[in-house]
Amino acid sequence: MSNPVYLALDVPQLDAAKALVEKVKGHVGGVKLGLEFFCAHGTHGVHEIAHLGLPIFLDLKLHDIPNTVAGAMQSLHVVEPAIMTVHASGGRAMMEDAKAAAGENTRVVAVTMLTSLDERDLERTGVQGTPHDHVMRLAELAQDSGLDGIVCSGQEVKSVHKQWKDGFFVVPGLRPGGKATGDQKRVVTPRQARDDGASVLVIGRPISRADDPLQAAREIEATL
């Protein structure tokens, strides 16, 4: 893709979301819609954003029994997302069924470890080892399950890319140099993530909450 930046549209009001996309769409390659947006606006809201002409990454992080996830994927054919997420921790059968039920033009990627988590958080949930080890294990499971790729932080994407040469890698939690990290714990710059093998760069607050979103999008694009 010519521009790997997907704007994370963390704007709950539909009119404001559409206005933001219209403002920056010449300097981003797609739009990521997450739980907050989908719960507020449903498939209608997805269609409204899609009509603005950019690919849609529907980031719902599905995680349930295989039959339920497959049914949810089939229900989302109506919005034809370019990218869709499930949780790798849902297991191989769930991921296989999710991919089988997805639309023909939808890439299904597995969320490995949220960028808001660190090693201490893993320990508290009973997972032993480093975040890097955990992500690598789940990446291998996703690959074996036939998915298109994974979601991981920029700190792991280089290693995953070496292991999975033709994988599709989505990297969130990115912060341009000098910007506040907020609730993100494992962050890198967009340029570093791209150099290390990221296919898609998910960037939200550094654009959406900037004083001048258009200028912020332009500055990020210029680094890539």
Side-chain angles (χ1 to χ4, degrees), residues 4 29 33 54 67-69 108 113 126 154-155 193 204 223:
L33 302 175
L54 290 174
N67 186 65
T68 297
V69 169
V108 181
M113 179 178 171
Q155 295 183 6
T223 69

Side-chain angles (χ1 to χ4, degrees), residues 207 209-213:
I207 296 176
R209 298 189 185 178
D211 292 336
D212 185 342

Side-chain angles (χ1 to χ4, degrees), residues 8-214:
L9 204 56
D10 46 9
V11 179
Q13 296 81 21
L14 184 56
D15 287 344
K18 291 168 67 176
L20 178 59
V21 174
E22 286 282 14
K23 184 176 294 185
V24 305
K25 69 180 183 179
H27 300 279
V28 300
V31 178
K32 184 192 83 91
L33 302 175
L35 277 174
E36 182 179 6
F37 183 93
F38 192 77
C39 288
H41 307 294
T43 57
H44 166 73
V46 178
H47 280 301
E48 288 290 300
I49 299 299
H51 287 160
L52 300 178
L54 290 174
I56 298 297
F57 169 15
L58 193 53
D59 185 25
L60 300 184
K61 299 182 179 69
L62 300 179
H63 188 174
D64 212 310
I65 63 172
N67 186 65
T68 297
V69 169
M73 293 294 286
Q74 290 173 337
S75 296
L76 291 168
H77 285 190
V78 65
V79 297
E80 298 180 313
I83 309 169
M84 184 71 197
T85 50
V86 299
H87 264 290
S89 55
R92 180 165 182 163
M94 189 205 77
M95 287 191 280
E96 289 176 340
D97 285 7
K99 179 59 180 173
E104 182 179 354
N105 298 315
T106 298
R107 284 188 170 101
V108 181
V109 297
V111 175
T112 53
M113 179 178 171
L114 300 176
T115 52
S116 60
L117 302 178
D118 58 18
E119 187 166 349
R120 188 177 182 187
D121 295 313
L122 284 183
E123 291 174 357
R124 288 171 170 168
T125 59
V127 177
Q128 300 300 313
T130 67
H132 181 273
D133 294 339
H134 185 53
V135 170
M136 294 302 290
R137 284 193 298 267
L138 291 177
E140 183 177 4
L141 180 61
Q143 184 178 12
D144 291 344
S145 302
L147 264 59
D148 297 285
I150 64 163
V151 182
C152 66
S153 89
Q155 295 183 6
E156 296 95 32
V157 69
K158 187 173 184 178
S159 296
V160 176
H161 187 249
K162 289 180 180 178
Q163 173 180 292
W164 190 351
K165 295 294 185 183
D166 60 347
F168 186 84
F169 306 119
V170 176
V171 177
L174 299 169
R175 293 293 182 268
K179 301 297 184 182
T181 59
D183 57 357
Q184 305 291 347
K185 296 180 179 179
R186 292 159 35 249
V187 303
V188 301
T189 65
R191 176 74 262 176
Q192 181 182 339
R194 187 64 166 161
D195 288 344
D196 287 344
S199 308
V200 163
L201 308 171
V202 177
I203 302 176
R205 284 168 282 186
I207 296 176
S208 64
R209 298 189 185 178
D211 292 336
D212 185 342
L214 176 57

